[in-house]
Amino acid sequence: QLDPENTGFIGVETFASLVHSHELPLDPAKLDMLVALAQGNDEGQVCYQELVDLISSKRSSSFKRAIANGQRALPRDVLLDETGLGFYKRFVRYVAYEILPCEMDRRWYFYQHRTCPPPVFMAAVTLTQIIVFLCYGARLNKWVLQTYHPEYMKSPLVYHPGHRARAWRFVTYMFMHVGLEQLGFNALLQLMIGVPLEMVHGILRISFLYLAGVLAGSLTVSITDMRAPLVGGSGGVYALCSAHLANVVMNWAGMRCPYKLLRMVLALVCMSSEVGRAVWLRFSPPLPASGPQPSFMAHLAGAIVGISMGLTILRSYEESLQDQCGWWVLLLSYGTFLLFAVFWNIFAYDLLGAQIPPPP
């Protein structure tokens, strides 16, 4: 009735009177966003499809841009001024300010956040890693540098260049760790950074990013350090951390997480020390003679995956990745690397006559 020509638009004044006269049960925060959206376009009109998308908690890139343009018209205060929140909602607000650089994105995430599904991926991976470590620690009675126990490398989960045909090892090595130090470092970062990222960006994006870092780590080691076995989830951890840190740097002015400079310095110090430790284990004279030679290339490969592919994922909050040209370029590049690595593992070891250690 209000749109007799079926244009899909009505004036914002007409829509406002409709809301008040019929007492429509709209979320006040979403109503504010819709008014801002209408005031952000040239005609000052409300689009029916945008109304449907808003109520169903869906957004497109054009919707987000229009909301940002009309942000000056939003009457509500910033999210930090919300009072009377319970413990969980305060935690959700903390996650919003920890991960998202835009106030509109924070408010959108805060108001449309649901507890289901919970961030189960990072929690499940961390719990599995702890259980596996405890089982091997109790079995071998060794809690530091487990890789130097002769029985440890016989595990079907460890990546070893002599067992390249067992393709699952290129991923399952993430459940094995050298010792308490490596496990503690990875578990801490996975829970502190991975869980908030999963809460905001969802299980599919974060699990893809983590596993892409894990797989890139083992394949990079198989190409650049052909004699080295591999354990630990550092490839996935560094993919998450480098993506988050790069996102903070790219949006430095908009990030409102407390002590962001100090926290970034600490994160970089911890990550650098872990890489330094891996380099020391790789090239320190006493260790290679008494056990396998671990590699540090997985850390660097995970960081590259995070900075490239991960940064695109984190910058595309609530937007479809398949609509972005850059995402397809990165995906094609990653697929090309995987294909090259597969052929390298099939043919290069024999062609180059690589002297790999005998498999356990």
Side-chain angles (χ1 to χ4, degrees):
Q1 295 176 353
L2 299 176
D3 182 25
E5 298 180 359
N6 293 323
T7 62
F9 292 87
I10 62 173
V12 64
E13 296 83 3
T14 305
F15 177 77
S17 62
L18 181 68
V19 171
H20 293 302
S21 61
H22 289 270
E23 297 182 354
L24 298 179
L26 295 178
D27 187 329
K30 292 187 176 182
L31 182 59
D32 291 342
M33 294 179 188
L34 189 65
V35 173
L37 176 62
Q39 295 180 351
N41 61 45
D42 296 333
E43 295 80 12
Q45 292 181 324
V46 174
C47 174
Y48 175 75
Q49 187 58 50
E50 290 169 344
L51 172 63
V52 172
D53 291 342
L54 182 66
I55 301 304
S56 60
S57 295
K58 295 180 180 178
R59 291 194 304 177
S60 65
S61 57
S62 59
F63 185 97
K64 181 179 178 181
R65 286 195 297 269
I67 283 286
N69 292 335
Q71 194 171 5
R72 61 188 180 280
L74 291 175
R76 297 175 64 87
D77 296 328
V78 296
L79 195 57
L80 282 176
D81 296 331
E82 292 279 356
T83 59
L85 300 178
F87 174 78
Y88 182 74
K89 293 301 290 184
R90 289 200 302 270
F91 176 68
V92 172
R93 181 174 62 181
Y94 164 80
V95 170
Y97 277 90
E98 184 75 15
I99 302 300
L100 297 171
C102 174
E103 184 66 23
M104 180 53 64
D105 282 344
R106 298 181 193 119
R107 287 179 55 189
W108 180 275
Y109 167 72
F110 180 81
Y111 289 117
Q112 65 92 33
H113 173 74
R114 299 292 182 269
T115 56
C116 187
V120 295
F121 175 76
M122 293 311 309
V125 167
T126 304
L127 181 61
T128 303
Q129 290 172 339
I130 293 174
I131 292 175
V132 170
F133 178 81
L134 292 177
C135 290
Y136 276 94
R139 174 185 170 187
L140 305 177
N141 193 28
K142 189 175 181 63
W143 304 95
V144 179
L145 293 180
Q146 289 185 348
T147 49
Y148 294 94
H149 193 288
E151 294 295 319
Y152 184 84
M153 297 304 296
K154 295 181 180 180
S155 169
L157 303 178
V158 173
Y159 165 77
H160 190 281
H163 289 310
R164 300 187 313 283
R166 302 174 184 179
W168 70 85
R169 291 175 178 255
F170 285 92
V171 175
T172 58
Y173 78 91
M174 71 180 187
F175 297 115
M176 308 291 287
H177 286 83
V178 174
L180 279 171
E181 180 184 353
Q182 186 189 32
L183 174 65
F185 175 82
N186 287 347
L188 182 63
L189 289 181
Q190 286 172 178
L191 295 177
M192 290 185 62
I193 296 179
V195 170
L197 287 175
E198 187 178 347
M199 288 178 63
V200 173
H201 296 282
I203 185 173
L204 291 180
R205 293 188 179 196
I206 298 306
S207 60
F208 177 82
L209 177 59
Y210 184 87
L211 294 177
V214 168
L215 186 57
S218 56
L219 291 175
T220 301
V221 169
S222 70
I223 295 173
T224 61
D225 203 354
M226 300 167 69
R227 291 179 50 84
L230 190 62
V231 295
S234 296
V237 171
Y238 274 63
L240 296 179
C241 293
S242 60
H244 177 57
L245 293 179
N247 189 46
V248 172
V249 172
M250 293 288 292
N251 301 279
W252 187 262
M255 299 301 294
R256 292 292 182 267
C257 45
Y259 309 109
K260 56 184 177 182
L261 180 59
L262 176 61
R263 295 166 63 186
M264 174 165 288
V265 171
L266 290 177
L268 291 175
V269 169
C270 292
M271 294 172 67
S272 301
S273 64
E274 177 66 13
V275 174
R277 177 180 178 275
V279 172
W280 178 77
L281 288 175
R282 177 65 178 85
F283 296 109
S284 176
L287 293 178
S290 60
Q293 300 175 343
S295 178
F296 57 91
M297 292 303 299
H299 302 73
L300 303 181
I304 293 174
V305 168
I307 293 174
S308 56
M309 186 181 298
L311 188 57
T312 301
I313 293 176
L314 300 193
R315 293 178 62 184
S316 305
Y317 169 68
E318 283 292 316
E319 295 177 29
S320 179
L321 289 173
Q322 57 262 31
D323 295 335
Q324 303 181 43
C325 179
W327 168 249
W328 290 108
V329 171
L330 291 172
L331 208 58
L332 178 62
S333 301
Y334 187 76
T336 303
F337 164 73
L338 294 184
L339 189 62
F340 170 78
V342 169
F343 279 97
W344 179 277
N345 278 274
I346 294 175
F347 301 109
Y349 279 73
D350 293 333
L351 291 176
L352 297 176
Q355 300 297 320
I356 61 176

